[in-house]
Amino acid sequence: MQRDLGLNAEEARVRLANDARSGEREANARTVLGDTFAGAWINPETGVLTVGVTDSAKVDAVRAVGAEAEVVPFSHRQLNGTKAALDTLSAPVSVTGWRVDDASNTVVVEVNRHTRDAAADAFVATAKSVGTAVRVVEVDESPTPLYDTRGGDAYYIGGGGRCSIGFAVGGGFVTAGHCGRTGASTTGANRVSQGTFRGSSFPGNDYAWVATNSNWTSRPWVNRSGSNVIVKGGTAAAVGAQVCRSGSTTGWRCGTVQAKNSTVNYPQGSVSGLTRTNACAEPGDSGGSWVAGTGFGQAQGVTSGGSGNCSSGGTTYFQPLNEILSAYGLRLTVG
């Protein structure tokens, strides 16, 4: 609250206590006013709850519950009815949304001023015909869906190559270096614009990190057959420990750690410092998460490569995570 609202500790305590009281007063006002209730909002200047009411005879009833009263033309029931009617319409993309706005006693329809077109104007005209409470507001941006980065999920590089997310870090995620070169763009499994490789090393190492755009949120999760394993830390497992991996081709697979600091000689060149396991993997699993420990909460590394497959078994190597974090100055996202 200090960072986002500019409040010190005492101001935050007062604000939270007032917000709680306001919620109780709103509930009481709804009960007292019935169909004449017309919304409620906290006055940003005074911090006092204001309650809209359509019947001036009930102003004293509002004051009795500890709130200020404002007489307005439309009840909450009427506003919600208008909004429900708009919900049945098909809107063009230049119309960014609509909502009941208690403080203005209107139903606000938002339109992107930069993309407003004839279709948007037609929607606005229809919306206004639904009810006189409709008010149009132009905005500068359109909302977009927000997505979560989750270890083991697929992502695509440039024109079409597929790899798997390793672990969420502040600002993006780590993955295998052979998946993409610095500057390559990525999209999510849903083909939504995702981010850009900010660093990549292969051969020699096999690690990279992708900085994601504002559509994506780093989550401390690894995909375990559709459910989420929560990443708690990055303590390395010992040789002989059970380890499991998640990838977008073969899902969740497990094995044991067989050796550390292995050097693998790929056709593109050798990579050193890898951990060898007897868990299987297949193309597309590259970059995916390896976890171990209680609840599989300890992040181990990202899939590099190997031999065999998940039908006959095989050997798979992963690039240890802590080296990646150190190389790029990244912080693992934990829960």
Side-chain angles (χ1 to χ4, degrees):
M1 295 183 75
Q2 179 178 350
R3 182 196 65 199
D4 296 335
L5 300 179
L7 304 178
N8 61 33
E10 179 58 27
E11 289 169 335
R13 282 190 286 269
V14 172
R15 172 71 174 270
L16 290 170
N18 182 65
D19 289 353
R21 288 192 297 271
S22 295
E24 295 169 358
R25 289 167 179 167
E26 178 183 351
N28 292 335
R30 284 178 180 271
T31 300
V32 170
L33 298 179
D35 284 345
T36 66
F37 175 77
W41 61 97
I42 297 173
N43 187 312
E45 301 298 327
T46 65
V48 177
L49 182 74
T50 300
V51 174
V53 58
T54 58
D55 184 352
S56 59
K58 294 190 175 182
V59 167
D60 288 340
V62 174
R63 293 171 179 162
V65 301
E68 295 180 345
E70 183 174 321
V71 180
V72 294
F74 302 108
S75 70
H76 221 230
R77 179 180 58 80
Q78 291 172 309
L79 294 174
N80 284 327
T82 298
K83 195 264 180 183
L86 298 186
D87 287 342
T88 66
L89 304 178
S90 177
V93 294
S94 49
V95 174
T96 66
W98 48 93
R99 68 182 187 280
V100 171
D101 184 61
D102 287 358
S104 66
N105 195 233
T106 61
V107 176
V108 174
V109 175
E110 291 186 347
V111 181
N112 188 318
R113 71 175 80 250
H114 304 292
T115 60
R116 186 166 183 169
D117 52 14
D121 291 339
F123 182 90
V124 166
T126 301
K128 287 184 174 180
S129 71
V130 170
T132 56
V134 172
R135 179 168 64 97
V136 178
V137 173
E138 290 192 329
V139 296
D140 289 317
E141 295 182 311
S142 297
T144 58
L146 303 177
Y147 302 94
D148 297 319
T149 57
R150 179 174 64 167
D153 284 355
Y155 70 95
Y156 293 86
I157 307 93
R162 174 172 58 87
C163 274
S164 301
I165 294 171
F167 294 96
V169 296
F173 61 87
V174 295
T175 187
H178 73 263
C179 289
R181 296 302 185 191
T182 302
S185 62
T186 68
T187 56
N190 46 21
R191 295 297 189 172
V192 170
S193 174
Q194 183 186 69
T196 305
F197 277 83
R198 287 292 180 84
S200 179
S201 179
F202 178 80
N205 304 295
D206 195 3
Y207 53 63
W209 86 282
V210 172
T212 52
N213 59 36
S214 59
N215 292 337
W216 296 78
T217 300
S218 296
R219 299 295 189 189
W221 301 334
V222 171
N223 184 352
R224 182 184 184 184
S225 303
S227 64
N228 292 327
V229 168
I230 299 177
V231 176
K232 300 289 188 179
T235 301
V239 172
Q242 178 179 328
V243 65
C244 295
R245 48 150 291 269
S246 180
S248 60
T249 300
T250 59
W252 181 264
R253 305 284 175 159
C254 299
T256 58
V257 175
Q258 295 182 319
K260 297 184 178 183
N261 196 25
S262 300
T263 296
V264 178
N265 193 30
Y266 294 124
Q268 299 89 342
S270 63
V271 176
S272 61
L274 300 180
T275 297
R276 175 190 170 103
T277 77
N278 60 3
C280 69
E282 295 181 6
D285 289 327
S286 288
S289 325
W290 289 77
V291 290
T294 303
F296 302 107
Q298 298 301 313
Q300 301 299 303
V302 301
T303 300
S304 174
S307 57
N309 55 53
C310 287
S311 296
S312 59
T315 298
T316 306
Y317 298 87
F318 67 79
Q319 170 76 60
L321 173 67
N322 289 328
E323 183 181 355
I324 311 173
L325 301 179
S326 177
Y328 296 120
L330 301 171
R331 183 181 296 273
L332 177 68
T333 301
V334 297

